[in-house]
Amino acid sequence: MYIRQRRKVSAAFHDTVITQLGDDDIKSTEFAASGAKIEPALRIYPGSHHMCKTNEDLDQGRGNGTLCKCLRVWTVSVDDVEWVEFEHYPAPAPASTKARTFKLKPQQFSATIKFPLAETIPTTLGNAKVKQVPVNSNIATTGHKLQGMSKMSSSSTTGTIDA
């Protein structure tokens, strides 16, 4: 019987993934977050804006597409984050039952990685394991991220967006 061994990737492979691939190149293959994009170099710091990418907390008013802002990052060591505290952004209405803040812990996702061996030869690596807080950066909101936002909270530098 063959038992699959866990192997760390080489520093060169890791550096290539971090510097050359984007969130469209790494996608979750797990049922709960199937197809969710995973950022290869997720940067979370107090004040950074993000979007939740799983539906595991729907009963708490938080699911795929929930916008949030990082309040603090609690680390165990330089290589390990225990949890990240976020606040809903924009803040929930005062009469809302939704909590203003919430904590997310890193999760391990199974993923596929589109890796360019050469400019014209893309290769897909499957069964990769990625440990990450289940959010993506939301530094530049695109049109599909605005879907479902109210007219009052959807604005741009040129004015209000009418949906």
Side-chain angles (χ1 to χ4, degrees):
M1 172 168 64
Y2 174 74
I3 298 175
R4 187 173 218 131
Q5 297 291 323
R6 184 174 181 212
R7 294 173 295 200
K8 288 195 170 197
V9 297
S10 70
F13 179 82
H14 180 268
D15 291 346
T16 300
V17 169
I18 297 297
T19 60
Q20 295 185 17
L21 301 183
D23 65 357
D24 195 41
D25 297 314
I26 305 174
K27 294 190 180 174
S28 174
T29 57
E30 293 184 1
F31 177 73
S34 183
K37 296 177 179 183
I38 299 174
E39 292 194 32
L42 181 62
R43 290 164 179 87
I44 300 177
Y45 51 89
S48 60
H49 290 259
H50 300 277
M51 179 185 295
C52 296
K53 64 181 179 184
T54 64
N55 284 325
E56 295 173 353
D57 297 316
L58 290 174
D59 58 334
Q60 297 174 17
R62 186 172 59 255
N64 185 23
T66 299
L67 301 176
C68 55
K69 184 169 78 171
C70 175
L71 295 178
R72 65 181 162 160
V73 179
W74 187 262
T75 57
V76 177
S77 68
V78 71
D79 294 322
D80 195 10
V81 172
E82 188 170 326
W83 50 262
V84 180
E85 184 176 19
F86 294 96
E87 70 177 340
H88 289 276
Y89 187 85
S96 173
T97 59
K98 189 185 329 183
R100 186 179 73 83
T101 65
F102 58 95
K103 292 179 183 175
L104 293 177
K105 293 182 176 187
Q107 296 178 6
Q108 183 166 298
F109 296 93
S110 294
T112 58
I113 301 173
K114 284 192 315 189
F115 191 75
L117 292 179
E119 194 171 309
T120 59
I121 309 171
T123 298
T124 301
L125 304 174
N127 204 29
K129 301 291 183 199
V130 178
K131 185 175 180 183
Q132 192 175 86
V133 175
V135 296
N136 278 334
S137 290
N138 192 34
I139 294 170
T141 297
T142 59
H144 76 276
K145 293 178 186 176
L146 293 173
Q147 181 181 0
M149 291 180 70
S150 68
K151 182 177 176 180
M152 295 300 288
S153 64
S154 300
S155 63
S156 67
T157 56
T158 59
T160 302
I161 297 172
D162 294 312

